[in-house]
Structure formats: structure tokens, C-alpha cells
């Protein structure tokens, strides 16, 4: 395993996850509690990362915001996997049939639109909320997983153990589930971490333009947006949520890279 | 520098300032909102008047920078039968921008159009007391009232009562043709409106050659635009937090003034549970105005306790009646049967007073047991859902029209307040001509709506003008929705 990549990646991610989980039972301050008199304070013993323009504790908001980011991105990855992987498996099982053609062209159609644009469209039509952000990000994850799954599954279908399974009389769908899917797990985990980090960015982007989680639920993207006009007065308001996004995405990418190196047998042999 | 000055223009410029020739003659005005159209008689949006009022369109009377009423297209008038008939004599030699002659017929056309059954005028109430408009001769027009009326001259100064020409009125939304000192040049939707000096203006010519209204909704972009000099002036700067910094910069002058903007937490009076006075009163007592002014406006704003501008002589300070008292709010909610709390929707349009104020109010309401579902909406959505569709429980908006307490007498207005006593009072007010009695009626009206806790009254919006320090002649206060450029000039 590529420890140089996995360890710092996992460390960053663990910090974020612990912060997010911790926020369920404890945050330094109530994130909904405003304290206008103590607004825009810098770091102090009481408010470790200072307070925002409405006097809320930034550390507490980052912790709860992590929850929003992780939850949205994670659920979106599961939506993408849950729909995309079966579609990809099915297309590979019925390769070169009209079903395959239909699924893949449908994928191309979704792929053809820039991901964030789809997300903006969905949230614009159905109203801004964390749920709609999840659905929007989830939808653009579907073709990613469908494509990846189909491509990898196609190469597996020519392998001997699959042929053996066919000779044994197993149906296409059963082979897909029992023999193809287990061999794709590594690939899907790696792609999952990449999509997860893209999901974090997409959630931040949607919240930034006001289409993500609605106030008073804290979100990193909205914290950034709200700090914009205050950047000359209190730069730390923009700095901390920005760093939170950077570290989370960096952590996920490092972890994903490390995992790929570890899980991919070909790369392992080359080393 | 333009070289084609006519001799008279040079002379006029020379009279005002000996160095005027060296000064700039164009100006770019930043506005947070783009008007949906350019016809002030066909829309409620303040942004329409902020472009066209006094610049492109004129009415019989107009507002001065201090809010008083001055003659405009009407040179003078006589009031007959104790206010039952107004006879206006019109200025001579006035032409519309397309060359058409301005006559008494245009006045009759404009007012008849505004009063018509199918009129889309946003302030039809201004004309409600007019019986008919009578063309006496080409330059004399008489307005006959249903009842004696003391407010007509004031009412006709509104942007909603400007005069259009019948030939060009149908295109007014996109190609405004008025009588004003500036002509419409171009509207690049989503970006800017350009106007240019009207060389054939009937009155005193303006000193600017051209002006551009640039629409910048993003406060960050507004800050960048003013710092870079892309915009010369924001008559209402959208981000109060930047004002101390801009004030300290010698390139800019920050002018704080009053506006007619009563910023209120509007409540849907027709729908449960807000049709219960106790719930509305509870919300009013749950609100801490000082926190909102400090947190959302960085201290710029004056607390109000009713729908009336504090700088108006008839203002009654009723803030104590809806003072911050969370215990009382909780008790009222229990009394109204909401001891378990309740959830209300809160729709917030884009300005920071609404978005930030909304978060603060949501926190304050939560403290007394009222949960809010916040939804941030764009202006178009707000107009559609809240103002027209009335699909809301709570919303925050600034009512920037002058003396607009009369909207409370309209049960169809978006917050749907229906009180016969107030309706009678306002009807009587509109026909009263005695100033002392009018002031007393206004006090009563303020008291009635405060007693009914119709809306949560937050603060009077401060006018936070930021301009290049060499630009002079802008209004310090905002007695109406306008960016009047007639007196604007550059100091060298």
C-alpha cells in the first residue's frame, strides 16, 4: 500500500468525520444561537476559530457543516452506485443488444450536460434544499458508475471463470451478481472516493449559489458565500470554510489514490 | 470629451461652474435590482422609477429632494370648490422624445389609462378619488374629484402618475418615450440601461450628456465595481458592512440619509395561524429590533413600531408597543393554543436586510417556540409567489413607496389585512384637506395597525449612498423611489 498517500488522506478524513459525528452530541456552541454583540471576532480561547457576522461560533458551524457535506456527498454516491452499477452490469450482460444501446445512449445523454448545470436545473425546478441537492448530485453520479461498471464487466465476460459459470448453466443476471460484481468491488470503491470528493465540491458549489441546504442549517458553501462582502473586514470568515473544503477534498483524493494503488493488482505488480 | 457643445449649452455650463468644460459629463449609476420593465404605470417594482422617474418621464407635479411637491409639467394650478376640482395650466412648448406635442389630451389619456378597469397600474388607489379628467383647452386640464381631496397634488407626483403619449404608450415597457430631460437610448437586459441628454428639453437643461444605470445584484461585485471606478455611484449601496471602509477612502463620499423604506416582517393575515391577533402579537414581541439592525444592517437603520417613516412629522413612535419581550410572546402563544409551538414559512428575497435579517428573526422566533422554514427566493419568484400568489406565512421586505400606509386599507394587498375601521379612516383621509386633521388621521391609522400587529415592524431603511466624491447634486434622502439626475454634475 502507498502509505505516503493513504495515511495523510485517511487522517484528514478522520478529522472531518470525527468532527461531523461529534457535532451530533456536542458542539462548542449552539449553531443556531446568534450573538450579534460578539460578531466577527477572531480566534480566542472561547471561540477557537472566532465568530461569524451573526456571532455564531465558526468551529461549531464547520462541524455541523461537515455533517451536511458528508451526508449529501455520501448519499449521492450511493444513489449513483445504486442505480449506475446495476445498469452497467445489465448493459454488459446484454452487451451489443438494444438494451445495452438504450442504457448507454441514455447515459451519454445525462453525461452530455455539465454536472453542475443539471444540479442547478433540478434545484431550480424543485426548490432549493439539501434533499434536492442530494438527488441532483446523485443523478450525475449515475452515468459515471454505469459506464465504469459496463466497461470493466465487459472485459470480465470474456474470462474463463465466467465461461465456466455459463457452462454450469447460470443465467446472465445471476453471473453478473455472483461473479462479475465481486470482481468490480475494488474499482467501485476507488471511483466511490473520487465521486465522494466531487460530491463535496458540488454540494459546496450549490450551497454557495443558494441552492443547497437552506438556513439555518450550516453549510460550508453558504458560509463562503456569506463571507464574501466581509472579506476585507474579517478574512477568517472565508478562510476556515475554504480550508475545510480543501482539506476534505484533498483527504479524499489522497485516500482514493492510495486505495487505487493498493487495490489494483496490476499497479501493485509494477511496484 | 465631446466637442460638439452648442453655444447656449456652453453658456449654461459656464454659469454653473467655470471649469465645467473640463469635467466629465457621463455617469454610471449602480443599482442592485434590474427593473422588470420601464413603464412606471405598469409595474410595482421600485427599480422602474429608479431609472425613469424625473429622468425620462415627468408628471404634472414631482417630488423635490426633500419630499415636498413641486410643479413639473403643470406650471401652476388652482384648487376650486374646496378641493373638489383642480385646474392645471400646463407648460408650453413641451414635446415628447419622439417629437409629439404635449397637450392636455395626453394628461387625460394617461389618467384615464391608469384608472381604466383593465389598467395594470400598481397604485390605482392614487386615482381612486378622481371622478373624471376634463380637457379645458390645449394647455389647461381640470381634474374633478368624487369628493374634496387634499392629496391629489402629492398623488400625482408619484411615478405611477407620469404622463405618456397615446402613440408611444403601448411600447412604454421596453421603449419609454417621455417628456423628461433624458431620452432612452438602450436597454441591454441583465446589464444596463443607457439614457442620453434630451437636446430639446423644455425646462432647464441638465449638465450630464449621458448616464448609464448598471445592474449589479451581487454585493461583492458592487464593491469591486465602485472600487475600480466602473460605477460612479450607488444611491443605495447593497452591503452596509463595507460603508466604513468606503467612507475612509478619500475617493468616495458616503451619504447617509432617510428613505421611505419601512422594512417589515410581513405576515399573511388571511391564513391560519397568522389570522389570530395573538400569534401576530407574539411574533412582534419575539423580535429584537436592535439585534436585527446591528446584525443585518451593521447599525444602519431606525427602529419603527408602525408602518410610517420616522422623519415624517406625523410619525408616532409606537416601538414600545411591540417591544422585545420573549416571555410575553410565549404567554401569547400559549393563550392562542400553540403551547407546543408552531412552524411557519419564511420567504426571503435577495437583499441582505432580508437574507441576514431572516436568519436573525428565525433565531429569535425559535427562542419563543416558533420554528421557521426559511426559503431564499429570487425577486421574480418573490413577486410571483408572495406578492401575487400570497403563498407565504412570513416574509421580509422594505416598502419604499412614500406615505404608503394606505395599502393597509386594501384587503387584497399581499398581506391581506382587512379592517373596516382603517378602510373608512383612509377613505376619509383622502378627502380631508386640513393639515392638522390629516396628521391626526395618520396618527390614528398608525395606531390601528400597531394595535392589530398587522406585520412585524422592524426598521426604517437608511439610504446609504456611496458616490465618487467629485459627483455632486445627488439626492441625500429618498423621499420617493428615484435616481433624479437633473441636478447631477461633476466637480472638477
Amino acid at each position: 500500500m502507498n502509505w505516503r498517500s493513504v495515511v495523510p488522506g485517511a487522517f484528514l478524513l478522520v478529522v472531518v468525520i470525527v468532527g461531523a459525528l461529534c457535532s451530533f452530541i456536542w458542539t462548542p456552541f449552539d449553531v443556531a444561537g446568534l450573538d450579534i454583540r460578539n460578531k466577527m471576532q477572531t480566534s480566542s480561547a472561547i471561540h477557537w476559530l472566532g465568530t461569524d457576522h451573526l456571532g455564531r461560533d465558526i468551529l461549531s458551524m464547520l462541524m455541523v457543516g461537515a455533517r451536511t457535506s458528508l451526508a449529501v456527498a455520501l448519499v449521492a454516491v450511493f444513489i449513483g452506485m445504486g442505480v449506475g452499477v446495476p445498469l452497467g452490469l445489465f448493459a454488459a450482460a446484454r452487451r451489443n443488444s438494444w438494451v445495452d444501446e438504450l442504457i448507454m445512449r441514455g447515459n451519454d445523454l445525462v453525461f452530455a450536460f455539465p454536472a453542475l448545470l443539471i444540479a442547478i436545473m433540478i434545484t431550480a425546478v424543485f426548490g432549493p434544499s439539501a434533499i434536492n441537492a442530494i438527488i441532483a448530485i446523485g443523478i450525475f453520479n449515475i452515468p459515471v458508475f454505469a459506464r465504469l461498471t459496463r466497461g470493466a464487466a465487459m472485459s470480465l465476460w470474456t474470462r474463463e471463470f465466467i465461461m465456466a459459470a455459463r457452462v454450469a448453466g447460470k443465467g446472465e443476471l445471476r453471473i453478473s451478481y455472483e461473479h462479475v460484481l465481486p470482481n468490480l468491488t475494488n474499482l467501485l470503491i476507488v471511483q466511490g472516493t473520487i465521486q465522494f470528493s466531487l460530491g463535496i465540491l458540488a454540494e459546496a458549489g450549490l450551497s454557495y449559489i443558494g441552492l443547497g441546504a437552506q438556513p439555518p442549517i450550516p453549510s460550508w458553501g453558504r458560509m463562503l458565500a456569506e463571507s464574501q462582502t466581509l472579506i476585507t473586514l474579517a478574512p477568517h470568515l472565508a478562510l476556515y470554510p475554504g480550508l475545510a473544503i480543501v482539506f476534505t477534498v484533498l483527504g479524499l483524493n489522497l485516500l482514493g489514490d492510495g486505495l487505487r494503488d493498493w487495490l489494483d493488482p496490476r499497479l501493485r505488480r509494477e511496484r | 470629451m465631446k466637442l460638439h457643445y452648442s453655444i447656449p449649452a456652453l453658456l449654461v455650463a459656464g454659469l454653473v461652474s467655470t471649469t465645467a468644460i473640463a469635467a466629465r459629463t457621463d455617469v454610471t449609476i449602480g443599482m442592485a435590482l434590474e427593473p422588470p420593465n420601464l413603464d412606471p404605470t405598469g409595474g410595482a417594482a421600485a427599480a422602474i422609477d429608479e431609472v425613469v422617474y424625473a429622468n425620462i418621464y415627468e408628471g404634472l407635479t414631482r417630488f423635490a429632494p426633500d419630499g415636498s411637491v413641486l410643479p413639473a409639467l403643470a406650471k401652476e394650478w388652482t384648487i376650486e370648490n374646496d378641493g373638489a376640482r383642480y385646474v392645471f395650466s400646463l407648460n408650453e412648448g413641451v414635446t415628447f422624445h419622439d417629437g409629439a406635442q404635449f397637450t392636455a389630451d395626453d394628461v387625460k389619456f394617461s389618467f384615464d389609462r391608469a384608472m381604466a378597469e383593465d389598467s395594470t397600474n400598481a397604485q390605482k388607489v392614487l386615482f381612486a378619488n378622481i371622478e373624471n379628467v376634463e380637457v379645458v383647452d390645449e394647455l389647461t386640464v381640470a381634474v374633478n374629484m368624487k369628493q374634496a381631496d387634499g392629496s391629489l397634488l402629492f398623488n400625482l407626483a408619484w411615478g405611477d402618475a407620469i404622463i405618456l403619449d397615446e402613440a408611444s404608450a403601448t411600447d412604454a415597457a421596453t421603449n419609454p418615450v417621455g417628456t423628461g430631460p433624458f431620452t432612452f437610448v438602450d436597454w441591454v437586459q441583465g446589464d444596463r440601461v443607457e439614457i442620453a441628454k434630451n437636446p430639446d428639453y423644455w425646462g432647464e437643461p441638465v449638465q450630464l450628456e449621458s448616464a448609464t444605470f448598471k445592474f449589479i445584484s451581487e454585493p461583492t461585485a458592487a464593491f469591486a465595481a465602485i472600487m475600480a471606478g466602473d460605477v460612479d455611484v450607488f444611491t443605495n449601496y447593497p452591503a452596509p458592512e463595507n460603508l466604513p471602509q468606503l467612507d475612509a477612502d478619500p475617493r468616495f463620499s458616503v451619504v447617509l440619509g432617510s428613505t421611505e423604506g419601512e422594512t417589515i416582517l410581513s405576515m399573511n393575515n388571511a391564513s391560519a395561524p397568522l389570522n389570530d391577533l395573538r400569534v401576530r402579537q407574539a411574533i412582534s414581541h419575539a423580535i429584537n429590533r436592535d439585534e436585527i439592525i446591528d446584525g443585518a444592517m451593521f447599525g444602519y437603520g431606525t427602529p419603527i413600531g408602525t408602518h410610517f417613516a420616522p422623519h415624517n412629522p406625523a410619525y408616532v413612535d409606537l416601538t414600545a408597543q411591540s417591544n422585545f419581550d420573549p416571555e410575553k410572546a410565549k404567554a401569547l402563544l400559549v393563550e392562542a393554543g400553540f403551547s407546543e409551538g408552531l412552524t411557519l414559512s419564511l420567504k426571503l428575497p435577495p437583499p441582505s436586510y432580508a437574507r441576514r435579517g431572516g436568519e436573525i428573526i428565525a433565531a429569535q422566533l425559535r427562542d419563543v417556540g416558533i420554528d421557521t422554514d426559511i426559503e431564499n427566493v429570487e425577486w421574480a419568484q418573490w413577486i410571483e409567489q408572495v406578492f401575487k400568489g400570497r403563498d407565504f406565512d412570513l416574509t421580509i421586505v422594505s416598502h419604499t413607496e412614500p406615505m404608503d400606509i394606505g395599502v393597509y386599507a386594501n384587503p387584497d394587498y399581499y398581506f391581506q389585512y382587512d379592517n373596516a375601521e382603517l378602510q373608512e379612516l383612509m377613505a376619509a383621509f383622502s378627502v380631508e384637506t386640513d393639515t392638522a386633521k390629516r396628521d391626526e388621521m395618520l396618527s390614528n391609522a398608525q395606531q390601528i395597525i400597531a394595535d392589530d400587529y398587522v406585520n412585524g415592524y422592524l426598521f426604517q431603511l437608511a439610504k446609504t449612498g456611496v458616490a465618487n466624491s467629485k459627483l455632486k447634486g445627488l439626492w441625500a434622502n429618498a423621499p420617493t423611489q428615484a435616481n433624479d439626475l437633473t441636478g447631477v454634475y461633476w466637480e472638477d
Side-chain angles (χ1 to χ4, degrees):
Chain A
M1 188 176 326
N2 183 356
W3 293 104
R4 274 179 308 177
S5 175
V6 171
V7 169
F11 174 75
L12 287 175
L13 208 58
V14 164
V15 171
V16 175
I17 292 173
V18 167
L21 291 178
C22 179
S23 74
F24 280 102
I25 43 174
W26 176 82
T27 52
F29 286 87
D30 175 14
V31 287
L34 309 184
D35 183 4
I36 309 275
R37 264 161 305 167
N38 291 317
K39 67 183 176 185
M40 297 202 293
Q41 291 192 343
T42 48
S43 301
S44 66
I46 306 163
H47 297 283
W48 291 358
L49 299 183
T51 57
D52 78 349
H53 62 287
L54 297 178
R56 291 171 294 197
D57 182 59
I58 291 180
L59 180 62
S60 309
M61 290 184 75
L62 286 179
M63 287 167 70
V64 182
R67 207 157 84 189
T68 318
S69 280
L70 293 178
V72 168
L74 196 65
V75 177
V77 167
F78 282 131
I79 291 176
M81 275 195 185
V83 181
V85 172
L87 279 177
L89 285 176
F90 194 62
R94 297 276 155 81
R95 58 204 166 281
N96 302 329
S97 72
W98 65 271
V99 182
D100 179 23
E101 199 62 21
L102 187 73
I103 291 173
M104 295 325 289
R105 293 298 81 78
N107 263 329
D108 288 345
L109 191 72
V110 180
F111 236 175
F113 293 96
L116 205 58
L117 212 62
I118 300 188
I120 292 172
M121 192 180 75
I122 290 175
T123 44
V125 172
F126 296 104
S129 74
I131 303 287
N132 286 338
I134 290 175
I135 295 171
I137 301 169
I139 285 182
F140 81 69
N141 274 333
I142 292 174
V144 175
F145 283 103
R147 240 181 211 204
L148 181 82
T149 307
R150 178 179 175 272
M154 291 279 269
S155 67
L156 286 175
W157 273 97
T158 60
R159 300 276 290 273
E160 293 83 353
F161 69 98
I162 302 278
M163 288 188 193
R166 293 185 82 173
V167 171
K170 288 190 179 178
E172 280 171 333
L173 296 183
R174 198 168 155 204
I175 293 174
S176 291
Y177 176 70
E178 288 181 356
H179 299 287
V180 179
L181 185 57
N183 281 292
L184 297 178
T185 321
N186 295 347
L187 201 61
L188 292 176
I189 288 175
V190 173
Q191 191 64 39
T193 57
I194 295 170
Q195 292 310 117
F196 191 46
S197 73
L198 290 177
I200 300 259
L201 281 179
E203 192 276 336
L206 285 178
S207 305
Y208 179 81
I209 54 175
L211 296 175
Q214 293 295 295
I217 304 168
S219 113
W220 293 348
R222 207 180 54 253
M223 287 172 77
L224 270 183
E226 286 173 351
S227 62
Q228 269 194 119
T229 55
L230 301 162
I231 201 146
T232 49
L233 293 177
H236 67 286
L237 296 190
L239 186 67
Y240 295 128
L243 285 178
I245 296 171
V246 168
F247 284 138
T248 311
V249 172
L250 184 68
L252 277 164
N253 284 342
L254 286 174
L255 188 69
D257 277 0
L259 284 176
R260 189 192 60 210
D261 294 354
W262 181 49
L263 293 170
D264 189 329
R266 257 178 309 141
L267 284 173
R268 200 164 26 179
R269 231 171 296 141
E270 279 161 18
R271 247 158 238 277
Chain B
M1 191 69 251
K2 296 198 171 59
L3 295 172
H4 49 263
Y5 270 115
S6 63
I7 300 299
L10 268 179
L11 287 175
V12 171
L15 282 177
V16 176
S17 155
T18 47
T19 52
I21 295 167
R24 280 174 61 187
T25 54
D26 64 309
V27 66
T28 304
I29 303 108
M31 282 170 61
L33 295 175
E34 179 168 16
N37 65 62
L38 294 174
D39 179 6
T41 64
I48 304 173
D49 288 307
E50 283 163 12
V51 172
V52 303
Y53 187 80
N55 297 328
I56 295 179
Y57 283 119
E58 297 171 300
L60 291 185
T61 58
R62 57 160 292 171
F63 289 113
D66 64 354
S68 59
V69 175
L70 296 179
L73 289 174
K75 189 163 53 183
E76 54 197 12
W77 50 79
T78 51
I79 304 171
E80 295 171 4
N81 304 342
D82 290 334
R85 180 178 157 94
Y86 287 72
V87 181
F88 296 92
S89 40
L90 308 176
N91 276 301
E92 267 175 76
V94 178
T95 55
F96 285 94
H97 298 154
D98 61 0
Q101 203 69 36
F102 163 73
T103 64
D105 289 323
D106 298 312
V107 177
K108 181 172 171 58
F109 163 74
S110 299
F111 292 172
D112 283 350
R113 177 173 172 265
M115 291 187 292
E117 201 65 37
D118 59 350
S119 152
T120 54
N121 198 298
Q123 297 290 347
K124 279 174 100 162
V125 63
L126 296 176
F127 308 94
N129 196 28
I130 295 178
E131 177 68 44
N132 62 47
V133 182
E134 182 190 326
V135 176
V136 179
D137 62 48
E138 192 161 273
L139 290 174
T140 312
V141 65
V143 177
N144 296 312
M145 311 305 292
K146 287 175 184 156
Q147 288 167 294
D149 192 328
S151 343
L152 185 71
L153 296 172
F154 174 85
N155 288 351
L156 295 185
W158 282 50
D160 306 82
I162 52 89
I163 306 298
L164 308 98
D165 183 25
E166 188 163 7
S168 52
T170 46
D171 294 332
T174 51
N175 182 23
V177 174
T179 55
F182 289 93
T183 57
F184 171 76
V185 176
D186 193 15
W187 180 10
V188 180
Q189 294 212 351
D191 185 44
R192 64 185 189 272
V193 168
E194 290 167 14
I195 60 176
K197 183 177 181 173
N198 173 11
D200 306 319
Y201 185 54
W202 59 272
E204 194 181 329
V206 288
Q207 294 170 58
L208 294 171
E209 285 294 322
S210 65
T212 306
F213 294 92
K214 191 140 177 74
F215 311 116
I216 303 176
S217 59
E218 194 54 56
T220 326
F223 185 66
I226 192 105
M227 288 303 267
D230 295 342
V231 164
D232 299 311
V233 53
F234 273 96
T235 51
N236 224 335
Y237 186 75
E241 58 270 33
N242 297 138
L243 291 173
Q245 191 186 349
L246 290 165
D247 201 21
D249 194 324
R251 290 178 294 161
F252 307 110
S253 61
V254 172
V255 179
L256 298 178
S258 59
T259 70
E260 298 297 322
E262 292 84 12
T263 310
I264 62 173
L265 175 72
S266 297
M267 309 192 210
N268 192 337
N269 279 247
S271 79
L274 291 170
N275 54 5
D276 186 332
L277 171 64
R278 290 167 301 191
V279 177
R280 297 198 302 267
Q281 190 180 352
I283 290 173
S284 298
H285 284 300
I287 292 170
N288 182 344
R289 295 184 183 97
D290 294 336
E291 267 195 1
I292 296 167
I293 295 171
D294 192 14
M297 302 308 292
F298 288 73
Y300 298 100
T302 314
I304 51 169
T306 183
H307 198 107
F308 215 73
H311 56 82
N312 190 302
Y315 174 73
V316 189
D317 186 354
L318 295 168
T319 46
Q321 196 174 328
S322 46
N323 62 330
F324 175 54
D325 188 347
E327 291 314 312
K328 191 168 181 187
K330 282 179 204 165
L332 282 162
L333 284 176
V334 171
E335 207 185 303
F338 293 101
S339 45
E340 300 295 307
L342 72 159
T343 303
L344 299 169
S345 76
L346 174 57
K347 297 198 173 172
L348 303 175
S352 59
Y353 67 72
R355 292 278 165 91
R356 281 191 197 139
E359 283 204 61
I360 299 170
I361 286 177
Q364 292 172 350
L365 292 181
R366 194 160 40 238
D367 288 343
V368 301
I370 300 172
D371 279 320
T372 46
D373 285 330
I374 294 182
E375 195 185 325
N376 289 343
V377 294
E378 295 305 312
W379 271 117
Q381 266 177 301
W382 188 89
I383 297 275
E384 208 51 44
Q385 291 180 10
V386 178
F387 194 76
K388 289 184 184 158
R390 290 157 200 168
D391 175 20
F392 74 107
D393 292 325
L394 304 171
T395 187
I396 300 177
V397 72
S398 204
H399 288 247
T400 51
E401 296 90 350
M403 284 281 284
D404 51 0
I405 196 168
V407 297
Y408 284 76
N410 175 4
D412 289 329
Y413 203 58
Y414 75 104
F415 44 71
Q416 298 170 84
Y417 171 61
D418 193 354
N419 179 333
E421 188 194 354
L422 184 84
Q423 285 155 22
E424 278 164 31
L425 180 65
M426 291 318 289
F429 171 75
S430 68
V431 297
E432 180 58 56
T433 47
D434 182 72
T435 316
K437 276 189 188 149
R438 283 170 68 86
D439 283 356
E440 193 191 320
M441 287 170 152
L442 286 172
S443 315
N444 288 344
Q446 292 173 56
Q447 188 68 52
I448 291 170
I449 60 169
D451 288 346
D452 275 342
Y453 296 90
V454 182
N455 294 311
Y457 300 102
L458 307 177
F459 58 89
Q460 194 75 16
L461 207 60
K463 181 167 147 59
T464 49
V466 177
N468 187 312
S469 47
K470 288 181 178 159
L471 191 67
K472 305 290 169 184
L474 292 155
W475 287 14
N477 299 315
T480 189
Q481 308 152 336
N483 287 317
D484 177 7
L485 300 177
T486 49
V488 174
Y489 63 96
W490 285 95
E491 195 182 61
D492 193 44

